[in-house]
């Protein structure tokens, strides 16, 4: 745990504008789990909002601040956190009300950074593959009984949720999260460890070109804890000047610090060995077949091994 001065220590109510999004709903679930009264607005009902409501989170679907004023008026402004997603237009009347009344309003990425900075966080970045790798890391941590919280970019089939929690979420040691390059959101994160799966031309509505994208990924690597480490796919091209001192490569089956060998792909599973700097993990079996999934497991295994988790 790195910083326990996060605003969640003093807030009593968390309000989410756009609560039905994948990233937003995970944060809403987290606040609800630690005993903070959690409310939200979304434009339309969905399976996610239905799940949130069943968990005790109050949600409405009309842009009307009067629907929550009775809960806001009994609290001091510093006891309320308002979180929004960039998908919500600035003309949204509730957003404008909070702004006009001088509430502190946070982007989703800012709050994810504030929360995860409380833990020894492993963040997975990349223009593709980050949801899969972060979910596999979370599964390994869960299987090995680590005290961690995972904020996922999709609904995990194993856990039927985008949030996996420790038995005492605010007392966890680790966190696992995606590090999203969209809108440069991952620059809000200061992880202990990180994976970079890929840096391909993407989000050119946000970045000037591939060089700007690579430069921002490089900046992200400079935010890894000085005693932490980076795991990067072999061959990914970004400026190394900001890399932490501990850097490891991974690949499917080319020799790297971590790679797979003796791969057998069957219809419903893959079996392989993972070569690591600390030895070979033999006969790893996964029920998500294919080389891409094997490579993702290699990346996730690297994080576990480097965190000295016995896999």
């Amino acid at each position: 745990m790195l910083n326990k001065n996060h605003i969640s220590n003093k807030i009593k109510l968390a309000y989410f504008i756009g609560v039905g999004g994948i990233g937003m709903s995970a944060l809403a679930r987290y606040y609800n789990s630690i005993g903070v009264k959690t409310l939200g607005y979304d434009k339309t009902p969905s399976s996610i909002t239905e799940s949130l409501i069943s968990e005790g989170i109050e949600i409405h679907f009309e842009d009307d601040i009067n629907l929550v004023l009775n809960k806001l008026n009994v609290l001091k402004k510093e006891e309320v956190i308002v979180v929004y997603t960039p998908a919500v237009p600035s003309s949204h009347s509730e957003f404008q009300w909070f702004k006009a009344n001088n509430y502190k309003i946070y982007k989703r990425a800012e709050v994810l950074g504030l929360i995860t900075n409380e833990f020894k966080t492993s963040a997975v970045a990349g223009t593709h593959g980050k949801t899969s790798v972060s979910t596999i890391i979370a599964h390994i941590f869960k299987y090995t009984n680590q005290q961690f919280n995972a904020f996922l970019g999709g609904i995990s089939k194993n856990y039927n949720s985008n949030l996996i929690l420790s038995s005492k979420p605010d007392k966890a040691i680790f966190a696992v999260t995606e590090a999203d390059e969209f809108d440069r959101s991952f620059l809000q994160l200061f992880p202990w460890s990180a994976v970079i799966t890929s840096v391909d031309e993407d989000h050119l509505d946000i970045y000037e070109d591939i060089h700007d994208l690579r430069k921002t990924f490089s900046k992200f690597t400079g935010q890894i804890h000085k005693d932490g480490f980076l795991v990067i796919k072999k061959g990914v091209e970004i400026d190394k000047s900001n890399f932490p001192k501990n850097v490891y490569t991974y690949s499917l089956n080319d020799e790297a610090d971590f790679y797979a060998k003796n791969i057998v792909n069957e219809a419903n599973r893959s079996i392989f060995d993972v070569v690591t700097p600390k030895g070979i993990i033999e006969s790893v079996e996964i029920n998500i077949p294919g080389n891409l999934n094997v490579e993702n497991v290699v990346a996730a295994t690297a994080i576990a091994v480097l965190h000295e988790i016995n896999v």
Side-chain angles (χ1 to χ4, degrees):
M1 289 171 280
L2 304 179
N3 177 10
K4 280 295 181 183
N5 295 318
H6 169 45
I7 46 177
S8 62
N9 292 332
K10 61 184 178 182
I11 64 169
K12 296 181 179 178
L13 186 147
Y15 188 75
F16 289 80
I17 306 175
V19 70
I22 283 290
M24 291 281 279
S25 57
L27 297 179
R29 284 183 162 119
Y30 176 78
Y31 278 113
N32 190 50
S33 75
I34 62 173
V36 173
K37 180 67 176 175
T38 305
L39 314 172
Y41 157 87
D42 211 275
K43 188 175 182 180
T44 55
S46 66
S47 59
I48 291 178
T49 58
E50 288 178 10
S51 295
L52 296 177
I53 291 169
S54 72
E55 293 165 21
I57 296 173
E58 296 181 25
I59 300 174
H60 62 271
F61 301 95
E62 182 181 354
D63 181 7
D64 184 358
I65 195 65
N66 292 307
L67 297 174
V68 292
L69 275 180
N70 62 325
K71 295 180 176 67
L72 293 169
N73 288 337
V74 298
L75 297 172
K76 299 176 182 178
K77 289 179 182 178
E78 58 267 27
E79 295 174 327
V80 177
I81 181 172
V82 181
V83 190
Y84 76 100
T85 169
V88 173
S90 58
S91 59
H92 190 274
S93 70
E94 291 186 6
F95 177 88
Q96 288 296 329
W97 185 90
F98 282 112
K99 187 176 179 181
N101 284 274
N102 298 314
Y103 282 82
K104 182 62 176 176
I105 306 173
Y106 296 85
K107 284 186 178 180
R108 179 201 64 83
E110 291 179 286
V111 174
L112 179 62
L114 289 169
I115 292 172
T116 57
N117 197 41
E118 298 181 351
F119 309 106
K120 210 171 187 178
T121 292
S122 184
V124 182
T127 45
H128 56 79
K130 53 184 173 287
T131 299
S132 297
V133 174
S134 57
T135 301
I136 296 167
I137 293 171
H139 181 67
I140 293 172
F141 278 30
K142 182 75 171 180
Y143 185 78
T144 56
N145 297 313
Q146 307 304 311
Q147 290 298 310
F148 78 103
N149 303 315
F151 301 85
L152 305 176
I155 303 297
S156 168
K157 291 182 179 179
N158 284 29
Y159 305 101
N160 194 33
S161 182
N162 53 353
L163 179 69
I164 304 172
L165 291 173
S166 166
S167 56
K168 294 182 178 180
D170 55 343
K171 305 296 183 183
I173 297 171
F174 297 105
V176 178
T177 187
E178 288 190 24
D180 191 358
E181 74 279 2
F182 179 75
D183 200 29
R184 294 179 166 82
S185 294
F186 61 174
L187 296 183
Q188 299 292 335
L189 301 174
F190 294 83
W192 186 275
S193 62
V195 176
I196 295 180
T197 64
S198 53
V199 184
D200 299 326
E201 198 169 58
D202 200 2
H203 300 306
L204 297 186
D205 54 332
I206 303 295
Y207 298 95
E208 294 178 7
D209 51 30
I210 185 63
H211 303 292
D212 186 27
L213 179 64
R214 288 172 178 164
K215 182 179 179 181
T216 308
F217 267 86
S218 177
K219 185 175 181 180
F220 167 71
T221 67
Q223 298 181 181
I224 298 170
H225 192 279
K226 64 181 179 64
D227 295 322
F229 52 86
L230 169 66
V231 175
I232 186 168
K233 184 177 176 179
K234 185 177 180 180
V236 168
E237 296 182 14
I238 59 173
D239 181 5
K240 299 179 181 180
S241 61
N242 292 318
F243 279 12
K245 61 182 179 180
N246 300 311
V247 180
Y248 302 84
T249 58
Y250 79 95
S251 72
L252 174 62
N253 51 19
D254 291 334
E255 287 197 14
D257 295 310
F258 295 84
Y259 66 96
K261 70 175 187 177
N262 301 325
I263 302 170
V264 177
N265 286 313
E266 299 179 355
N268 297 310
R269 65 176 183 170
S270 293
I271 305 169
F272 52 95
D273 301 332
V274 179
V275 180
T276 85
K278 298 184 179 182
I280 299 174
I281 304 171
E282 297 181 337
S283 302
V284 176
E285 182 176 336
I286 59 173
N287 60 1
I288 43 174
N291 283 344
L292 179 59
N293 292 312
V294 171
E295 184 177 76
N296 289 339
V297 170
V298 171
T301 301
I303 289 293
V305 168
L306 294 168
H307 275 294
E308 299 184 342
I309 293 169
N310 186 9
V311 295

